[in-house]
């Protein structure tokens, strides 16, 4: 049985899909934000649609959206939303973008919905309830060594500027069974359903990965930043793995010791 929180998040994702499909491949105008990232009318309207669904059901909850910012910052529950994570993909008309909806209670992420309507895939999870990919139970693999793992990487600018981390990543690339760069939502969906085993990223925003962290965690995986800290509002890096042993070894190779 899903909770009212998850039911609301899934309803919000369906509302988002309606807006996304309205603007998909419509040559929408692009505005560049202060942080040099693009935004379109599709981003804004999608977030407004999500916000309307959530706050109608939970008017006292906080809301932290990529486009509309934060409201009720002192609320016990806060929704974290990226309406179109992958706007660059959206405007260049390839389907590697998604809607990300997460719920945080206090400082703990307890729910995540990841919906990629044009790609044709979705996943969701709630604390203690397991993870689901396309409504099927999702479980990570049992791979626990670098040599046996499939590694996917993304957003590596900061890591590339760190000689230790870059050299460590190179050592893993030489050793792993397979390397890919799926990026965005997709490699986390693959990790959660056991199709790949390890994801390394830097230069992320918590809104990009909050929901995905819950999905991977509830699928049995390990999802932290590169320092091994739980995902929080200040998170900017990711080390996510199918097993604790693989997670620990990857972080060691990248120059991070266990906390």
């Amino acid at each position: 049985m899903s909770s009212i929180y998850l039911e609301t998040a899934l309803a919000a994702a369906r509302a988002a899909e309606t807006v996304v499909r309205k603007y998909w491949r419509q040559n929408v105008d692009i505005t560049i934000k202060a942080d040099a990232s693009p935004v379109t009318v599709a981003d804004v309207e999608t977030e407004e649609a999500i916000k309307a669904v959530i706050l109608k059901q939970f008017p006292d909850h906080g809301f932290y959206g990529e486009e509309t910012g934060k409201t009720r910052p002192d609320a016990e529950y806060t929704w974290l939303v990226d309406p179109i994570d992958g706007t660059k993909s959206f405007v260049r008309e390839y389907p590697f973008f998604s809607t990300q909806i997460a719920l945080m209670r206090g400082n703990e992420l307890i729910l995540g919905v990841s919906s990629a309507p044009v790609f044709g895939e979705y996943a969701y999870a709630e604390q203690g309830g397991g993870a689901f990919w396309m409504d099927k139970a999702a479980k990570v693999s049992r791979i626990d060594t670098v040599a046996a793992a499939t590694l996917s990487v993304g957003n590596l600018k900061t890591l590339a500027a760190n000689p230790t981390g870059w050299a460590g990543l190179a050592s893993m690339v030489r050793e792993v069974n397979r390397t890919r760069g799926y990026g965005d939502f997709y490699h986390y969906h693959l990790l959660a359903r056991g199709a790949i085993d390890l994801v390394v990223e830097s230069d992320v925003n918590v809104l990009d990965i909050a929901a995905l962290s819950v999905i991977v965690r509830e699928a049995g995986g390990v999802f932290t930043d590169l320092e091994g800290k739980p995902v929080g509002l200040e998170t900017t890096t990711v080390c996510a793995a199918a097993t604790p042993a693989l997670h620990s070894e990857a972080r060691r190779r990248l120059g991070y010791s266990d906390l």
Side-chain angles (χ1 to χ4, degrees):
M1 294 289 291
S2 59
S3 72
I4 187 62
Y5 301 118
L6 182 55
E7 290 175 1
T8 301
L10 291 170
R14 290 191 292 270
E17 178 177 353
T18 299
V19 180
V20 166
R21 291 190 180 279
K22 179 176 75 172
Y23 286 109
W24 172 239
R25 290 182 172 167
Q26 295 302 308
N27 194 29
V28 294
D29 290 336
I30 305 165
T31 301
I32 303 301
K33 297 188 288 187
D35 64 359
S37 64
V39 63
T40 71
V41 64
D43 295 86
V44 176
E45 286 193 17
T46 302
E47 184 162 309
E48 289 173 345
I50 294 167
K51 193 173 186 178
V53 171
I54 289 173
L55 295 187
K56 180 180 179 181
Q57 184 67 47
F58 303 111
D60 296 329
H61 284 195
F63 191 92
Y64 177 16
E66 173 75 14
E67 310 307 336
T68 60
K70 298 179 181 179
T71 60
R72 301 181 186 86
D74 298 324
E76 179 183 5
Y77 290 88
T78 299
W79 294 86
L80 281 62
V81 171
D82 192 338
I84 301 180
D85 177 36
T87 300
K88 292 178 182 178
S89 300
F90 180 82
V91 299
R92 298 195 69 175
E93 298 185 356
Y94 58 98
F96 282 92
F97 61 88
S98 63
T99 294
Q100 296 294 316
I101 302 172
L103 178 60
M104 178 176 275
R105 182 176 60 213
N107 294 317
E108 184 177 18
L109 287 160
I110 61 171
L111 177 152
V113 170
S114 173
S115 172
V118 175
F119 189 82
E121 190 165 307
Y122 57 88
Y124 55 90
E126 189 170 17
Q127 187 177 63
F132 296 85
W133 173 81
M134 305 297 285
D135 296 325
K136 300 176 182 178
K139 293 292 183 182
V140 295
S141 76
R142 296 180 180 179
I143 298 296
D144 59 5
T145 65
V146 168
T150 295
L151 164 68
S152 182
V153 297
N155 295 330
L156 295 175
K157 288 184 178 181
T158 299
L159 189 63
N162 178 338
T164 300
W166 196 238
L169 180 63
S171 78
M172 287 198 292
V173 167
R174 289 192 295 269
E175 185 176 341
V176 293
N177 179 267
R178 197 180 193 200
T179 57
R180 287 293 182 266
Y182 292 111
D184 298 311
F185 74 93
Y186 191 47
H187 49 196
Y188 297 110
H189 284 201
L190 292 171
L191 176 61
R193 66 182 181 88
I196 66 171
D197 315 297
L198 178 63
V199 176
V200 174
E201 288 199 277
S202 61
D203 310 290
V204 299
N205 183 298
V206 67
L207 300 179
D208 304 335
I209 49 90
L212 294 159
S213 72
V214 180
I215 293 166
V216 170
R217 187 184 73 207
E218 287 295 314
V222 184
F223 197 119
T224 71
D225 70 5
L226 287 173
E227 294 182 351
K229 298 176 183 176
V231 175
L233 295 180
E234 305 305 318
T235 297
T236 60
T237 63
V238 172
C239 182
T243 60
L246 181 58
H247 180 263
S248 180
E249 177 62 12
R251 290 185 51 256
R252 186 189 69 78
R253 295 283 193 97
L254 295 168
Y256 296 90
S257 59
D258 285 335
L259 295 174

